[in-house]
Amino acid sequence: MNAFNLIALVLTLAAVSSYVNHRFIKLPVSIGLMLIALVCSLLLILANHLGLQIAFAKEIVGGIKFDRTLMQGMLSFLLFAGALNVDVESLLKHKWTITIFTFFGVIASTVIIAVLGWLLFDCVGIRLPFVQCLLFGALISPTDPVAVLALLKELHAPRTLEIKIAGEALFNDGLAIVVFITVAGAASGHSQVDMASVGLLFFQEAIGGVCLGLVLGWVTYFLVKSIDQYQVEILLTLALVTGGYALANALNTSGPLATVTAGILIGNRGRRLAMSETTRQHLNMFWELIDEIMNAVLFMLIGVEVLDLSFENRYWLAIALALPIVLAARWVSVLIPALVLRTGRSTPHLVTIMTWGGLRGGISVALALSLADNPYRNFIVTITYAVVVFSILVQGLTTPMLLRRTLNSYRPQSCP
């Protein structure tokens, strides 16, 4: 199937699923679409066990190449759309809190998951080398802010809570990818891992990505400021997202961090000082629509990706262990910086909300699928997918109740 037909099929399925969810199921859009796609995929698998051939469906899903579709296409749009709505003044006000949560959260979560996984997976007969456990820890650590941020806005959550969750979730994607690349290089034996090489990689990927985002964001800002034509200005932001992400990849810097940085700059200084009211309205509507479409497609693809997986009976016990391991690692990685920063005084229930509301999403699945072929790849992909599905369906559906209960007792105070 050619590229156009694949895009047409995916968009059609997303549109039909969105209608069914809105008309009958009435779940949050992202969760509803993934659930519909997952149920349809499981029915196809059941049909295959009953003797009906579903090779065509597996061929279509395999042709989509989820990891490339997300990491080299959709991710830049999703991150830019999210970054546009981040208030830079609030972000700077909580910069140290967000930075510590991001860095400690990713590193601590990666190590805790790796150690517990290495110890416990062996108890159920799956001997995973420690470096492979580190890979699993790195790829499952980034959280997806989309569903939780939408709920926070719907429930009128305090701004301090929203900005801490948004800031941490937007930046931990880029950092987790840097950690993943470092560990993947060590696992493949293609790169030497020492403090110097890790520091150089971090500088090149993370610092380089932020600097590139600032440069491209400022260039786009001055171009937008020099004209007043919303069609051209929106086209410039599209060029910033697609061209900037491609340039970051070519320069071996972090595309996600470059996109987030540029999005924050355009969403604040650009929108406030370089755009007319007409342009701001059209820009907001355009990127909100792009965000909704991309998320609809993303979560539907997560649902159908089960067709391309190979589950083995011995994996089920490991999955049952992986779920509490990931949640425990998230809890510890949030609790320690919260205690150090004493954020509980200014933001009650922050640890609870960030732990249970720290949903895993498409980035984890894409990173798992990008792993090189080895004897452990199928296991890592399978447990990653299981954790993501549990996170979106179980945590995603119960988070609204948790937020309502915790936000009732929320009393904002001055922040550290």
Side-chain angles (χ1 to χ4, degrees):
M1 184 177 291
N2 61 41
F4 179 81
N5 289 342
L6 270 177
I7 294 172
L9 177 62
V10 169
L11 287 175
T12 301
L13 290 175
V16 173
S17 300
S18 296
Y19 175 83
V20 171
N21 178 65
H22 181 77
R23 184 73 173 81
F24 303 105
I25 304 176
K26 303 186 185 301
L27 288 174
V29 177
S30 300
I31 297 174
L33 262 64
M34 199 204 76
L35 180 61
I36 292 171
L38 182 61
V39 169
C40 291
S41 300
L42 292 176
L43 289 175
L44 284 174
I45 293 174
L46 178 62
N48 182 63
H49 287 301
L50 295 176
L52 299 177
Q53 294 297 318
I54 61 166
F56 72 96
K58 289 189 174 183
E59 182 180 347
I60 291 173
V61 173
I64 294 173
K65 298 198 179 300
F66 184 91
D67 53 329
R68 294 184 183 178
T69 301
L70 177 60
M71 301 301 293
Q72 299 180 13
M74 298 170 63
L75 184 59
S76 58
F77 294 93
L78 289 166
L79 291 175
F80 186 82
L84 277 178
N85 297 312
V86 173
D87 182 3
V88 71
E89 292 183 2
S90 298
L91 193 68
L92 291 174
K93 183 179 179 181
H94 303 291
K95 59 182 180 296
W96 294 117
T97 301
I98 292 170
T99 300
I100 292 172
F101 269 115
T102 300
F103 277 82
F104 186 84
V106 170
I107 302 300
S109 176
T110 298
V111 173
I112 293 170
I113 291 171
V115 171
L116 293 179
W118 184 64
L119 293 172
L120 296 179
F121 291 154
D122 187 56
C123 296
V124 294
I126 298 177
R127 294 188 176 181
L128 205 62
F130 187 71
V131 69
Q132 297 295 329
C133 292
L134 276 174
L135 274 176
F136 174 61
L139 64 87
I140 205 64
S141 291
T143 55
D144 183 0
V146 175
V148 176
L149 289 181
L151 288 170
L152 289 173
K153 290 179 181 178
E154 178 185 338
L155 298 173
H156 305 291
R159 187 63 179 166
T160 54
L161 176 63
E162 187 178 331
I163 196 66
K164 287 172 183 175
I165 293 177
E168 189 256 352
L170 281 171
F171 286 104
N172 72 10
D173 290 347
L175 180 61
I177 291 172
V178 173
V179 175
F180 176 82
I181 292 172
T182 303
V183 179
S188 64
H190 294 158
S191 63
Q192 185 178 2
V193 179
D194 51 43
M195 291 302 296
S197 61
V198 171
L200 179 61
L201 178 63
F202 175 80
F203 184 85
Q204 180 178 331
E205 286 277 345
I207 307 301
V210 171
C211 291
L212 179 64
L214 286 173
V215 171
L216 295 177
W218 277 108
V219 170
T220 305
Y221 165 77
F222 286 116
L223 292 175
V224 168
K225 190 176 181 179
S226 66
I227 60 173
D228 185 15
Q229 175 64 272
Y230 75 85
Q231 294 96 332
V232 178
E233 294 174 72
I234 291 175
L235 189 59
L236 285 171
T237 62
L238 268 176
L240 171 62
V241 172
T242 55
Y245 200 88
L247 180 59
N249 288 337
L251 296 175
N252 293 320
T253 62
S254 173
L257 289 177
T259 303
V260 168
T261 305
I264 291 173
L265 195 155
I266 296 297
N268 288 267
R269 188 176 183 87
R271 195 153 48 184
R272 186 175 68 253
L273 301 177
M275 299 178 185
S276 65
E277 182 61 31
T278 300
T279 298
R280 282 194 292 269
Q281 290 177 1
H282 283 88
L283 182 81
N284 293 342
M285 292 176 62
F286 175 81
W287 281 104
E288 182 180 346
L289 182 60
I290 290 291
D291 190 42
E292 291 292 333
I293 293 173
M294 290 294 174
N295 272 297
V297 171
L298 171 61
F299 282 88
M300 193 210 66
L301 289 178
I302 293 175
V304 300
E305 190 61 32
V306 70
L307 289 171
D308 203 34
L309 300 182
S310 177
F311 283 86
E312 297 182 21
N313 291 332
R314 65 195 183 106
Y315 290 173
W316 291 108
L317 283 176
I319 290 172
L321 290 173
L323 297 176
I325 286 174
V326 171
L327 282 172
R330 174 66 176 172
W331 180 72
V332 172
S333 65
V334 172
L335 176 65
I336 293 177
L339 291 175
V340 172
L341 296 169
R342 299 181 180 178
T343 55
R345 296 180 178 180
S346 60
T347 317
H349 310 295
L350 178 67
V351 174
T352 302
I353 294 173
M354 289 186 71
T355 299
W356 193 251
L359 308 184
R360 270 62 182 186
I363 288 179
S364 295
V365 178
L367 290 176
L369 291 170
S370 70
L371 289 170
D373 285 334
N374 62 64
Y376 315 103
R377 181 182 183 275
N378 185 58
F379 172 71
I380 293 176
V381 171
T382 302
I383 60 173
T384 299
Y385 185 81
V387 169
V388 169
V389 169
F390 173 87
S391 174
I392 294 172
L393 290 184
V394 178
Q395 292 175 239
L397 289 175
T398 55
T399 294
M401 179 178 63
L402 172 67
L403 287 174
R404 289 186 180 93
R405 287 184 176 181
T406 54
L407 293 180
N408 285 338
S409 60
Y410 189 94
R411 294 294 184 270
Q413 304 170 14
S414 59
C415 294

